[in-house]
Amino acid sequence: MRMYDIIVKKRDGKELTKAEIEFFVEGYTKGDIPDYQASALTMAIYFQGMTPEETAILTQAMVDSGETIDLSGIHGHIVDKHSTGGVGDKVTFIVGPLVASVGIPVAKMSGRGLGHTGGTLDKLEAIRDLRIEMSKKEFIENVNTHKLAVAGQTGNLAPADKKLYALRDVTGTVDSLPLIAGSIMSKKLASGADSIVLDVKTGSGAFMKTLEDSENLAREMVNIGQNLGRNTVAVISDMNQPLGFEVGNANEIKEAAEILQGKNVEDLRTLSLEIASHMALLAEVFDSYEEAYEALEANIENGKAFEYFRNFVQAQGGDVSVIDDLTKLPQAQYDIEVKAEKDGFVSAIDAESIGIAAMYLGAGRATKDDEINHGVGITLNKKIGDEVKAGEALVVLHSDDAEALDSVQKVLDAYTISTEKVEKPTLIHNIIK
């Protein structure tokens, strides 16, 4: 078998066989196939696409290129969730304890943030002493005992994907649906869950800016999951403004803890219950979505979900007093109000710009080597549909820079104030199964 023939076959729009795809993935991972041939194939895929069967085979080959996490020692049906990334997305910290509170094991492998989207592990490390590195044995024991553990991904999960992504990043082939879907799903499948709920974001703060693109990506990923024997559901959720009111690290942990204690931040609470309900349904703990939603909502109100959050923090070495007294979370030196320049109504917020403003403060990374400042961040006072007066604070920046001029300007650029009141954006656009 020759790589040249595989490139030409895909260039001409023909379907690759299982043997051909596996030959490519194995050879490229080992270094037997050079970058120039791999980039030629990814460019051919970019233009010609892949069938659902090809995409599933590619994904499985990337899974098989490295370690897979054996979670067979965990009791029960393991359900994972994955977000395609957004601004203010702290759903994992709410959904994990919620799902655990109804007896479903949640064994989550997470990553760090880069650019305008925050990383789950970075946010968790705002809790003093909390460990995200642990042995496989401890990870499984924590899930069996507390129904919830969150850890950093092992360095050898789907190495083919890591190598391919680095190549795509410099050859103009990142924006290929089969390659995006395969990249995301290879890491999820290698992580060992039985079922997966995908939170696919759409809008200004999302990787996919249009609803059509988000739905197409969701379908690709659901097809991969189903083809490879995992029950998979995708929720298309809105990211045309940040989720909730807090963007950062410590302040997002604070908001998640408050939701678990009964605070009603409408969009964040609703989306968390939506994701958790689909997870519970996939685990076959409830007979209907409605029954699952009702039980999960009750566990917020009765404090059970928050108790599971505390147990999770304690099991991973975190200082529980920080969760009981949220003022102990890291704090920035200065609070800077960014004020509206005119009267009107908030008609749009560029969520990506808010994320970048938070990154400028130190809440995110411009490069992978940047240090995170857990105490800085942004609190939104006004969201889409809200009335605002000139001089009223749109947001408060929590900063260690007394002026934070770049972030102030980025926030002002992000907000559109109009004379006409607009409706709040739809939160959940579609469910794809």
Side-chain angles (χ1 to χ4, degrees), residues 112-318:
R112 299 193 179 278
L114 184 61
H116 76 278
T117 58
T120 298
L121 301 182
D122 300 314
K123 294 169 189 179
L124 279 176
E125 287 178 337
I127 302 171
R128 189 164 51 233
D129 299 331
L130 189 138
R131 293 182 297 108
I132 48 84
E133 303 295 340
M134 65 189 84
S135 69
K136 177 186 168 185
K137 181 183 177 185
E138 184 183 4
F139 182 76
I140 289 174
E141 284 178 354
N142 279 0
V143 178
N144 281 332
T145 303
H146 304 288
K147 297 298 179 187
L148 173 62
V150 181
Q153 292 171 344
T154 173
N156 204 34
L157 276 189
D161 169 61
K162 186 176 181 181
K163 192 171 180 181
L164 262 180
Y165 189 88
L167 181 78
R168 290 164 52 214
D169 197 34
V170 295
T171 57
T173 53
V174 167
D175 298 332
S176 161
L177 276 180
L179 296 177
I180 295 167
S183 174
I184 293 169
M185 291 300 288
S186 65
K187 294 187 283 289
K188 285 290 104 183
L189 294 167
S191 297
D194 299 311
S195 299
I196 303 165
V197 175
L198 301 163
D199 181 8
V200 180
K201 305 293 189 186
T202 189
S204 64
F207 180 60
M208 293 297 187
K209 306 297 184 188
T210 70
L211 181 56
E212 182 183 5
D213 285 347
S214 301
E215 289 179 335
N216 287 338
L217 175 60
R219 288 190 187 94
E220 289 271 3
M221 293 193 290
V222 168
N223 283 336
I224 291 170
Q226 307 294 15
N227 278 327
L228 297 179
R230 304 295 208 286
N231 286 329
T232 307
V233 171
V235 176
I236 314 292
S237 68
D238 195 75
M239 190 41 69
N240 280 304
Q241 62 179 341
L243 188 59
F245 291 97
E246 302 291 347
V247 179
N249 293 281
N251 55 336
E252 288 195 37
I253 291 291
K254 173 178 176 287
E255 188 169 41
E258 289 171 342
I259 292 285
L260 289 168
Q261 291 174 299
K263 184 177 180 179
N264 186 19
V265 179
E266 186 179 358
D267 58 350
L268 181 56
R269 178 181 165 118
T270 299
L271 180 59
S272 298
L273 284 165
E274 179 82 20
I275 301 288
S277 298
H278 286 290
M279 291 172 74
L281 206 55
L282 288 181
E284 300 180 344
V285 169
F286 299 97
D287 293 329
S288 69
Y289 168 87
E290 291 75 19
E291 184 186 350
Y293 196 102
E294 187 177 325
L296 291 162
E297 194 168 36
N299 280 0
I300 291 179
E301 301 304 331
N302 62 28
K304 191 174 179 181
F306 181 69
E307 196 58 35
Y308 271 78
F309 184 52
R310 290 185 81 260
N311 292 343
F312 152 72
V313 169
Q314 191 166 44
Q316 295 195 197

Side-chain angles (χ1 to χ4, degrees), residues 279-431:
M279 291 172 74
L281 206 55
L282 288 181
E284 300 180 344
V285 169
F286 299 97
D287 293 329
S288 69
Y289 168 87
E290 291 75 19
E291 184 186 350
Y293 196 102
E294 187 177 325
L296 291 162
E297 194 168 36
N299 280 0
I300 291 179
E301 301 304 331
N302 62 28
K304 191 174 179 181
F306 181 69
E307 196 58 35
Y308 271 78
F309 184 52
R310 290 185 81 260
N311 292 343
F312 152 72
V313 169
Q314 191 166 44
Q316 295 195 197
D319 183 350
V320 180
S321 74
V322 172
I323 300 304
D324 293 332
D325 179 2
L326 296 169
T327 63
K328 291 184 178 181
L329 283 162
Q331 308 278 332
Q333 294 183 57
Y334 306 102
D335 290 334
I336 303 166
E337 291 187 343
V338 181
K339 297 177 180 179
E341 297 173 329
K342 61 180 181 179
D343 293 352
F345 298 88
V346 178
S347 59
I349 302 174
D350 182 356
E352 183 172 347
S353 291
I354 297 294
I356 293 169
M359 183 184 73
Y360 288 162
L361 295 173
R365 293 182 179 87
T367 71
K368 66 180 182 179
D369 296 321
D370 288 348
E371 291 288 323
I372 291 289
N373 183 336
H374 292 100
V376 302
I378 298 175
T379 299
L380 280 73
N381 289 346
K382 300 292 181 179
K383 296 186 73 172
I384 294 173
D386 290 344
E387 186 175 6
V388 63
K389 301 290 185 185
E392 197 173 5
L394 296 169
V395 311
V396 178
L397 304 180
H398 310 294
S399 174
D400 284 343
D401 174 351
E403 295 184 320
L405 296 178
D406 288 344
S407 295
V408 169
Q409 189 58 53
K410 204 70 181 170
V411 168
L412 289 172
D413 292 344
Y415 272 79
T416 301
I417 310 295
S418 302
T419 55
E420 300 290 325
K421 183 176 173 62
V422 301
E423 295 298 316
K424 294 179 181 178
T426 299
L427 176 63
I428 296 165
H429 294 275
N430 202 355
I431 309 294

